[in-house]
Amino acid sequence: MTVKVAAIQMCSGVDPQRNADTMARLVRDAAAKGAVYVQTPEMTGALQKNRAELRAILRNAENDIIVSRAAELARDLKIHVHVGSTAIARDDDKIANRGFLFGPDGTRICSYDKIHMFDVDLDNGESWRESAAYQPGSEARVTDLGFAKLGFAICYDVRFPQLFRAEAVAGAEILTVPAAFTRQTGEAHWEILLRARAIENGAFLVAAAQGGVHEDGRETYGHSMIIDPWGRVLASAGGDGEAVVMAELDIAAVKAARAKIPNLKNARDFTLAQSQAMAPAGGEAA
């Protein structure tokens, strides 16, 4: 079965209404070109480094403009709309970095909270502490789109292959990595990580990204991509600004790739032993 999918690249600012309008325009463009599944990037609703100002615009899922607009788009266009993520207010004063999937009737099929927090210290003084404000998720997700099974992840999750392996073992044929990768880490690792996750799981991978210089001053890498189960890049955007990246996926290619390299079936349980240095002949270890 062949289906057309799209990854939406954005350069989200600090105003959720403006970002929602941009999302709607790009999703409609993708649908007009035949996409039946459209993914938006991480933090579609707003990229705002100032935590106080971010909290001022936060809403719960029932009242969030990105969530409601995505549901409307899915229903109006009769497609699957996957909000890669947006910031959602939780009842415990924490924030969820949450993705949402809506079906062609506008129904929310499921949501996914980013599991791994981006707590890092990079070169040139660039430092991030997501865990200071965000509550990590604890549950991986796989859902059936009808034409394929979809596995969820968000941005920094891509560095944890065990998440993608668990989803692939559970039947995921399309893996997802909506992201707001920093320019520094993106230049070094973005494409190779995405291709590795696709190859090692014999799955398609769709990664919608933020790209450009944002209103809050951060720079994101862009280069939204769609990759096939053999690790080939089917489509890719540039580094800055808006884009609609599209590709036709032959879902049968997943079965074919996994038949050629059946590593999901060939995996074995093992134990890890740590050995101490052996004493040299005729003496004791120092």
Side-chain angles (χ1 to χ4, degrees), residues 48-94:
Q48 172 59 271
K49 285 195 292 189
N50 185 298
R51 294 281 164 79
E53 293 185 16
L54 176 61
R55 288 185 182 281
I57 61 174
L58 283 181
R59 301 290 182 270
N60 60 27
E62 287 67 33
N63 297 294
D64 183 80
I65 187 173
I66 295 295
V67 173
S68 60
R69 184 71 69 86
E72 292 171 4
L73 287 165
R75 183 181 63 249
D76 292 348
L77 300 171
K78 295 179 172 54
I79 63 172
H80 286 89
V81 175
H82 176 187
V83 176
S85 88
T86 198
I88 295 294
R90 289 169 47 101
D91 293 337
D92 59 4
D93 202 38
K94 282 275 194 174

Side-chain angles (χ1 to χ4, degrees), residues 10-221:
M10 297 174 61
C11 187
S12 294
V14 299
D15 181 358
Q17 177 66 62
R18 189 165 68 245
N19 296 328
D21 291 342
T22 299
M23 175 188 74
R25 172 170 50 81
L26 295 173
V27 169
R28 288 187 181 279
D29 183 17
K33 294 174 181 174
V36 298
Y37 163 88
V38 183
Q39 180 191 123
T40 74
E42 181 184 26
M43 288 298 160
T44 294
L47 277 173
Q48 172 59 271
K49 285 195 292 189
N50 185 298
R51 294 281 164 79
E53 293 185 16
L54 176 61
R55 288 185 182 281
I57 61 174
L58 283 181
R59 301 290 182 270
N60 60 27
E62 287 67 33
N63 297 294
D64 183 80
I65 187 173
I66 295 295
V67 173
S68 60
R69 184 71 69 86
E72 292 171 4
L73 287 165
R75 183 181 63 249
D76 292 348
L77 300 171
K78 295 179 172 54
I79 63 172
H80 286 89
V81 175
H82 176 187
V83 176
S85 88
T86 198
I88 295 294
R90 289 169 47 101
D91 293 337
D92 59 4
D93 202 38
K94 282 275 194 174
I95 305 169
N97 187 345
R98 184 171 295 167
F100 296 87
L101 178 67
F102 298 92
D105 60 356
T107 300
R108 186 191 307 176
I109 296 174
C110 70
S111 61
Y112 167 78
D113 286 4
K114 184 177 182 178
I115 293 173
H116 300 96
M117 298 289 95
F118 192 52
D119 291 357
V120 302
D121 297 300
L122 303 174
D123 293 339
N124 304 318
E126 185 177 355
S127 182
W128 300 91
R129 289 292 181 273
E130 278 190 337
S131 63
Y134 291 88
Q135 179 66 33
S138 60
E139 188 173 66
R141 294 272 187 172
V142 173
T143 193
D144 196 336
L145 302 180
F147 55 83
K149 289 187 177 180
L150 188 84
F152 292 81
I154 297 172
C155 200
Y156 189 50
D157 283 336
V158 75
R159 295 183 183 272
F160 300 86
Q162 64 272 25
L163 171 62
F164 297 83
R165 176 52 53 91
E167 293 177 351
V169 169
E173 296 154 304
I174 302 174
L175 302 171
T176 64
V177 189
F181 245 62
T182 67
R183 189 175 297 277
Q184 184 176 169
T185 57
E187 289 173 349
H189 299 147
W190 172 247
E191 181 175 336
I192 196 168
L193 285 170
L194 296 178
R195 294 179 69 190
R197 297 297 86 84
I199 292 167
E200 66 199 10
N201 293 296
F204 287 102
L205 189 145
V206 182
Q210 296 280 357
V213 179
H214 299 262
E215 287 181 318
D216 70 349
R218 83 182 74 196
E219 294 184 50
T220 52
Y221 184 63

